[in-house]
Amino acid sequence: MPYVNIKVTKEGVTAAQKTQLIEGVTQLLHHVLGKNPKTTFVVIDEVDTDNWGVGGETVTEIRRKNG
Amino acid sequence: MPYVNIKVTKEGVTAAQKTQLIEGVTQLLHHVLGKNPKTTFVVIDEVDTDNWGVGGETVTEIRRKNG
Amino acid sequence: MPYVNIKVTKEGVTAAQKTQLIEGVTQLLHHVLGKNPKTTFVVIDEVDTDNWGVGGETVTEIRRKNG
Amino acid sequence: MPYVNIKVTKEGVTAAQKTQLIEGVTQLLHHVLGKNPKTTFVVIDEVDTDNWGVGGETVTEIRRKNG
Amino acid sequence: MPYVNIKVTKEGVTAAQKTQLIEGVTQLLHHVLGKNPKTTFVVIDEVDTDNWGVGGETVTEIRRKNG
Amino acid sequence: MPYVNIKVTKEGVTAAQKTQLIEGVTQLLHHVLGKNPKTTFVVIDEVDTDNWGVGGETVTEIRRKNG
């Protein structure tokens, strides 16, 4: 009965990609630990780039510099 | 000083229901562990059905099949 | 399919109390939102009093002062 | 490689304030534990006042009473 | 720069299995979303079976019944 | 009433360092957002190096290579 939380920046993740992430993580836990897919929960959080910091600056700022 | 995080799918939870959840959890922690309600925090996260997976598929898909 | 995380300080919570918390939260989500108990997950984290801060000091220190 | 999650109520936090929080936490972890800022992640969650409870009531209700 | 948290019950997960989970999730995020493995964090929490509830009872109790 | 969760690897963080982290984060939230220190919670999680992955490998392995 695993619970997995995936946090990524909110930059256009599609419904199809979310399905792929959910399928992939569920299969991985079944494959590695024998966990039952029926009771595997996966929650994806999409975080605004203003609200995610790496190296002391926001991802918004990092994206702007690399733009 | 407990901290409780409740994650549910974002499917029309009303403000009154949120209040009931917050009251109920706070009372439960007071009743079972003697925790002071004044310093009990409850945070409710409502998760889009596209972003919650069970059994390797999204809740959006599960709802559609059961629709 | 709710997921609930309860964080309390690690101060002698018994197995019976954990069961009461799990039962109580599961019933609350069933009662308030009609959620299926079978797919309600509750995870309890017990946090060392050195690792929990309130008001800028650790719970260890707060307990010592109030001792 | 620390990971820090800051949850505050969604009450008009500006982009500049988010940057200050991210900078401040990153510096603190560098100063206290010698952690490399480049691999320090900070994620800020802004929570609706209807979804945050303290003392058994929502922050929305607390703000209304204190209004 | 994704952050992934995997919670499973503490029932003898080996170091090799942890490595497989970390590799697998990191590759999945690279494959599906093009995320850089170097800045993908994965944190595994192993939760005591007394502290995990499903269907209103602890996993300890569920295991005992199924024993 | 902020809630802050700091996750670091379990590599000998002292009680004094924990106090510094708790004080520092609490002051930062007071300084930047005017939050009341009395209702600021900080929870520190120390994660085993086997359970933390970066770049697809565990911190245990990274430390061994850099040793």
Side-chain angles (χ1 to χ4, degrees):
Chain A
M1 51 217 79
Y3 170 81
V4 180
N5 179 228
I6 299 173
K7 287 187 200 296
V8 292
T9 45
K10 191 180 186 69
E11 299 176 284
V13 184
T14 66
Q17 288 170 325
K18 289 173 188 177
T19 296
Q20 278 182 274
L21 291 174
I22 287 166
E23 279 175 1
V25 167
T26 305
Q27 284 168 15
L28 182 71
L29 281 154
H30 180 61
H31 179 69
V32 177
L33 296 178
K35 297 295 184 184
N36 185 352
K38 288 204 178 145
T39 52
T40 296
F41 286 9
V42 183
V43 171
I44 301 168
D45 291 329
E46 295 170 276
V47 177
D48 196 282
T49 56
D50 277 0
N51 290 25
W52 194 306
V54 186
E57 54 187 359
T58 65
V59 174
T60 302
E61 183 64 12
I62 294 168
R63 296 284 185 258
R64 198 188 59 75
K65 284 182 182 168
N66 295 344
Chain B
M1 52 215 78
Y3 170 80
V4 180
N5 180 227
I6 299 173
K7 287 189 201 294
V8 291
T9 45
K10 192 179 186 68
E11 299 177 283
V13 184
T14 66
Q17 288 170 325
K18 290 173 188 177
T19 297
Q20 279 182 274
L21 291 175
I22 288 165
E23 280 175 1
V25 167
T26 305
Q27 285 168 14
L28 182 71
L29 281 154
H30 180 61
H31 178 67
V32 176
L33 297 178
K35 296 295 183 184
N36 185 351
K38 288 204 177 144
T39 53
T40 296
F41 286 9
V42 184
V43 171
I44 300 167
D45 290 329
E46 295 170 275
V47 178
D48 197 282
T49 55
D50 276 1
N51 290 25
W52 193 306
V54 186
E57 54 187 358
T58 65
V59 174
T60 302
E61 183 64 12
I62 294 168
R63 295 284 186 258
R64 197 188 58 75
K65 284 184 185 167
N66 296 343
Chain C
M1 51 217 77
Y3 170 80
V4 180
N5 179 228
I6 299 174
K7 287 187 198 297
V8 292
T9 45
K10 193 178 185 69
E11 299 177 283
V13 184
T14 66
Q17 287 170 325
K18 290 173 188 177
T19 296
Q20 279 183 274
L21 291 175
I22 287 166
E23 281 175 358
V25 166
T26 304
Q27 285 168 13
L28 182 71
L29 281 155
H30 180 62
H31 179 68
V32 176
L33 297 178
K35 297 296 183 185
N36 184 352
K38 288 204 177 144
T39 52
T40 296
F41 285 10
V42 183
V43 171
I44 300 168
D45 290 329
E46 296 170 274
V47 178
D48 197 281
T49 56
D50 276 1
N51 289 25
W52 194 306
V54 186
E57 54 187 359
T58 65
V59 174
T60 302
E61 182 65 10
I62 294 169
R63 295 284 186 257
R64 197 188 58 75
K65 284 183 183 169
N66 295 343
Chain D
M1 50 218 78
Y3 170 80
V4 180
N5 179 228
I6 299 174
K7 288 187 199 296
V8 292
T9 45
K10 192 178 187 67
E11 298 176 284
V13 183
T14 66
Q17 288 170 324
K18 290 172 188 177
T19 297
Q20 279 182 274
L21 291 174
I22 287 166
E23 281 174 1
V25 166
T26 305
Q27 285 168 15
L28 182 70
L29 281 154
H30 180 62
H31 178 68
V32 176
L33 297 178
K35 296 295 182 185
N36 184 352
K38 288 203 179 145
T39 52
T40 296
F41 286 9
V42 183
V43 171
I44 301 169
D45 291 328
E46 296 170 274
V47 178
D48 196 281
T49 56
D50 277 0
N51 290 25
W52 194 306
V54 185
E57 54 187 0
T58 65
V59 174
T60 302
E61 182 65 11
I62 294 168
R63 294 286 185 256
R64 197 187 59 76
K65 284 183 183 168
N66 295 344
Chain E
M1 50 217 77
Y3 170 80
V4 180
N5 179 227
I6 299 173
K7 288 187 199 296
V8 291
T9 45
K10 192 180 186 67
E11 299 176 282
V13 184
T14 66
Q17 288 170 324
K18 291 173 188 177
T19 296
Q20 278 182 273
L21 291 175
I22 287 166
E23 280 175 0
V25 167
T26 304
Q27 285 168 14
L28 182 71
L29 282 154
H30 180 61
H31 178 69
V32 177
L33 297 178
K35 298 295 183 184
N36 185 351
K38 288 206 177 140
T39 52
T40 296
F41 286 9
V42 183
V43 171
I44 301 168
D45 291 328
E46 296 171 274
V47 177
D48 196 283
T49 55
D50 278 359
N51 290 24
W52 193 307
V54 186
E57 54 186 0
T58 65
V59 175
T60 302
E61 182 64 11
I62 294 169
R63 295 285 185 257
R64 196 188 59 75
K65 284 182 183 168
N66 295 343
Chain F
M1 53 216 77
Y3 170 80
V4 180
N5 180 228
I6 299 173
K7 289 189 199 295
V8 291
T9 44
K10 192 179 185 70
E11 298 178 283
V13 183
T14 66
Q17 287 170 326
K18 291 173 188 176
T19 296
Q20 278 182 273
L21 290 174
I22 287 166
E23 280 175 1
V25 167
T26 305
Q27 285 168 15
L28 182 71
L29 281 155
H30 180 62
H31 179 68
V32 176
L33 296 178
K35 297 296 183 185
N36 184 353
K38 288 202 177 145
T39 53
T40 296
F41 285 9
V42 183
V43 170
I44 300 168
D45 290 329
E46 295 170 275
V47 177
D48 197 281
T49 56
D50 277 0
N51 291 25
W52 193 306
V54 186
E57 54 186 358
T58 65
V59 175
T60 302
E61 183 63 12
I62 294 169
R63 295 284 186 257
R64 197 188 59 76
K65 284 182 183 169
N66 295 343

